[in-house]
Amino acid sequence: TTNDSMESERSGDKLIGGLLTEDFDESSCLSRYHQSLLYRKASPYKPSEYLISKLRSYENLHKRCGPGTKPYKKATERLSHDEKYEDGECKYIVWIASYGLGNRILTIASVFLYALLTDRIVLVDQSKDMSDLFCEPFPGTTWLLPRDFPLLKQMDGYNMGYSRCYGTMLNNHAINANSTPPHLYLHILHDSRDEDKMFFCQKDQNLIDKVPWLIFKVNVYFVPSLWLNPTFHTELTKLFPQKEAVFHHLARYLFHPTNQVWGLITRYYNAHLSRADERLGIQIRVFSDRGGYYQHVMDQILSCTRRAKLLPEAATQEEAKANTSTRPIHKAVLVTSLYPEYSDTLKDMFWEKPTSTGEIIEVFQPSGERVQQTDKKLHDQKALAEMYLLSLTDNIVTSARSTFGYVAHSLGGLKPWLLYQPKDASAPDPPCVRSTSMDPCHLTPPSHGCEAEWGTNSGKVLPFVKHCEDRENDGLKLF
Ligand code: GDP
């Protein structure tokens, strides 16, 4: 009947086209089923049937292998023995929290996709405030690494010097097909060596695949580089026929803000953004030792938003006289930054003079924390709320190489205007570029191929894995 189909359409929406499972209780995590219904426009990107079925089998695997189960107990006991992994046993990824929240969100999504491709389950380090930020993503189990995990105390200190670090083992010829260790440490950070990045190669994956526990410290979104591996490539193409939508789907599947953070988001949205005709997000990240307000950064933002016609200029006298509409367009501008001065300047500008288009521009900035305070609960919750609020805008301007900005635009399904990173304290010209893809950039990817292709430019191997627009001849991104 019509009623039934309307109902199924509505619940289809609530589950984001089948991306989410129905198996959760709504009230424990309001954001999970409410986001798409109440706050988001329908995404033009639909998850593939294959991705949906893969997620449902992952959920079953996680339930079977997760904390508190027999296989989990057995696997942790074997951590201290050098026994061989047997086929059919559970295999794990442990994700160590490091760096800022944007980095954390991008890297959880990366290891999760790697887990989907390799039949592992992901457990996240909860020593930081993970459970204050996110609801559990998998039904009937937990993704939090138990506090009595045997390697918990050492893990934080793992580094390239650690003898079980994959790159180090390669260097020392300490690993081969006949000697698989019970755990390996993968160091996928900005300072990774070529050896660490051999992780992405097919031959190395055959070896790594046999190790029951993989412990990851990551601060880069490494999804684009997985496509360079032919084994993964085939599977990835089936999972994500729309390549640039990888993070968009994974983020809406994995990251559901807790009720506390959802309160921050919805109160702010309803107070300041919901009634506007149009919403513009501007994310301003200043990567410099001193941080703070810089005139050249302000100039760059104004020049980008004017050229892109995202914000109007001040009206001339004639324009001001001509604009007498009784119902002018009302545009809300959401600025996020550690520094409040940028939005203060914008606010003054639009208060002091009328706009050339007659639009009414209202400028908001939720917080101005001045300094990064990762691992302070309310600070992180506000950071998450702001990334999320940005993702609810219609157009978005973000800062080059900021993972905070990457999360915001990709979660929202938005192709951002990327502000180039200023050099020598002057506004770059052009100030920004409209990205043609919404997926985040893999900063510091492998610059080499594997084996026979050693030395090839990894940005030129596949037509849809290219260098990032905000990184000159560097970074890898899906288009
Ligand atoms: P990235 O350093 O820009 O790649 O982003 P990260 O999120 O990894 O690290 C920056 C951290 O600084 C954030 O997680 C926040 O703790 C803080 N931060 C930076 N910009 C903002 C902002 O606009 N709003 C808020 N609330 N916090 C911010």
Side-chain angles (χ1 to χ4, degrees):
T1 68
T2 326
N3 259 352
D4 278 351
S5 69
M6 267 171 60
E7 186 54 42
S8 76
E9 205 164 276
R10 277 228 313 277
S11 60
D13 243 349
K14 165 177 132 174
L15 303 179
I16 326 182
L19 198 63
L20 304 182
T21 153
E22 266 180 306
D23 297 354
F24 276 106
D25 151 51
E26 287 205 24
S27 60
S28 65
C29 183
L30 296 169
S31 67
R32 194 188 318 268
Y33 300 130
H34 284 189
Q35 57 160 352
S36 57
L37 284 181
L38 304 176
Y39 294 92
R40 283 202 192 287
K41 285 184 289 193
S43 169
Y45 303 89
K46 303 280 169 259
S48 69
E49 285 301 320
Y50 189 60
L51 173 62
I52 291 169
S53 75
K54 196 87 180 176
L55 292 173
R56 297 295 91 82
S57 15
Y58 176 90
E59 286 159 7
N60 287 331
L61 186 71
H62 199 112
K63 231 182 264 172
R64 184 166 75 73
C65 301
T69 63
K70 261 202 195 130
Y72 174 82
K73 192 156 174 275
K74 190 166 158 215
T76 43
E77 280 164 7
R78 291 179 53 158
L79 256 176
S80 45
H81 310 295
D82 270 334
E83 287 168 63
K84 261 208 139 108
Y85 161 80
E86 282 160 34
D87 264 353
E89 283 178 44
C90 293
K91 292 187 294 178
Y92 299 84
I93 288 172
V94 173
W95 170 90
I96 306 177
S98 58
Y99 293 82
L101 188 57
N103 286 282
R104 294 183 185 189
I105 294 175
L106 292 182
T107 59
I108 290 179
S110 303
V111 296
F112 176 70
L113 179 58
Y114 176 69
L116 284 186
L117 293 169
T118 54
D119 298 319
R120 291 177 181 271
I121 71 157
V122 176
L123 298 174
V124 302
D125 168 16
Q126 60 168 322
S127 51
K128 310 292 158 52
D129 45 16
M130 284 301 288
S131 56
D132 298 317
L133 295 171
F134 302 109
C135 305
E136 290 280 353
F138 315 125
T141 176
T142 178
W143 73 337
L144 299 175
L145 182 72
R147 293 187 193 274
D148 59 358
F149 179 66
L151 304 176
L152 194 68
K153 291 215 172 62
Q154 300 93 294
M155 262 172 20
D156 252 350
Y158 285 177
N159 216 311
M160 288 185 277
Y162 179 46
S163 61
R164 288 274 167 79
C165 174
Y166 184 64
T168 306
M169 291 186 92
L170 280 184
N171 268 342
N172 299 340
H173 306 285
I175 186 164
N176 60 53
N178 304 322
S179 68
T180 23
H183 79 270
L184 265 182
Y185 163 63
L186 281 317
H187 185 89
I188 314 286
L189 285 93
H190 57 283
D191 64 352
S192 289
R193 304 155 296 187
D194 283 347
E195 293 80 3
D196 297 305
K197 297 178 189 172
M198 293 302 286
F199 165 76
F200 295 101
C201 297
Q202 205 167 17
K203 199 177 128 215
D204 300 75
Q205 276 300 321
N206 293 339
L207 247 167
I208 293 170
D209 192 49
K210 301 198 173 60
V211 180
W213 290 90
L214 299 182
I215 302 180
F216 277 86
K217 203 181 269 179
V218 211
N219 70 356
V220 289
Y221 175 71
F222 64 72
V223 168
S225 298
L226 293 173
W227 293 72
L228 300 175
N229 177 315
T231 321
F232 295 153
H233 185 145
T234 319
E235 190 71 4
L236 284 166
T237 313
K238 280 167 69 187
L239 287 168
F240 300 99
Q242 290 171 301
K243 300 181 179 67
E244 60 159 320
V246 177
F247 182 78
H248 180 60
H249 291 316
L250 294 181
R252 290 177 312 156
Y253 173 73
L254 288 171
F255 303 113
H256 305 287
T258 53
N259 287 352
Q260 220 173 347
V261 180
W262 191 236
L264 294 176
I265 296 167
T266 52
R267 281 190 294 278
Y268 204 89
Y269 188 87
N270 291 326
H272 303 296
L273 301 171
S274 63
R275 283 176 303 277
D277 298 307
E278 252 184 85
R279 285 160 281 270
L280 170 68
I282 306 180
Q283 180 249 350
I284 307 164
R285 183 85 168 111
V286 181
F287 289 107
S288 109
D289 296 341
R290 286 191 299 122
Y293 181 83
Y294 291 97
Q295 191 55 46
H296 67 273
V297 176
M298 194 68 232
D299 293 343
Q300 182 185 5
I301 294 159
L302 290 175
S303 132
C304 173
T305 49
R306 280 178 186 155
R307 285 197 211 182
K309 302 218 176 319
L310 295 169
L311 283 179
E313 316 218 14
T316 59
Q317 275 189 346
E318 291 79 60
E319 283 170 332
K321 270 189 223 146
N323 291 328
T324 52
S325 161
T326 47
R327 175 70 179 89
I329 300 243
H330 176 178
K331 195 179 249 187
V333 182
L334 175 74
V335 176
T336 80
S337 174
L338 285 172
Y339 317 105
E341 291 84 357
Y342 296 98
S343 62
D344 288 345
T345 305
L346 280 173
K347 259 179 232 169
D348 284 348
M349 255 177 52
F350 290 111
W351 182 34
E352 288 166 9
K353 296 211 177 87
T355 61
S356 60
T357 51
E359 289 166 289
I360 300 299
I361 309 291
E362 211 172 349
V363 182
F364 304 99
Q365 178 168 346
S367 76
E369 301 269 280
R370 298 238 168 246
V371 277
Q372 179 171 342
Q373 298 151 64
T374 300
D375 294 330
K376 215 173 107 190
K377 179 172 154 182
L378 189 58
H379 171 85
D380 285 345
Q381 290 185 321
K382 286 183 176 169
L384 176 58
E386 287 175 34
M387 282 184 226
Y388 204 100
L389 282 164
L390 282 170
S391 82
L392 299 175
T393 58
D394 304 301
N395 287 306
I396 190 168
V397 177
T398 59
S399 298
R401 87 161 224 248
S402 169
T403 60
F404 191 108
Y406 290 165
V407 170
H409 69 69
S410 197
L411 178 63
L414 301 163
K415 294 188 170 96
W417 279 265
L418 291 163
L419 294 161
Y420 288 115
Q421 203 171 340
K423 278 189 207 131
D424 320 319
S426 61
D429 185 21
C432 59
V433 57
R434 178 82 197 265
S435 179
T436 53
S437 152
M438 64 176 177
D439 212 49
C441 171
H442 180 177
L443 303 163
T444 64
S447 53
H448 51 76
C450 301
E451 311 279 296
E453 288 95 40
W454 188 265
T456 46
N457 180 339
S458 45
K460 305 249 157 85
V461 180
L462 295 170
F464 52 85
V465 179
K466 293 193 285 197
H467 292 309
C468 310
E469 295 119 320
D470 53 338
R471 307 291 294 157
E472 233 172 277
N473 296 318
D474 193 15
L476 287 183
K477 175 167 168 167
L478 289 163
F479 286 87

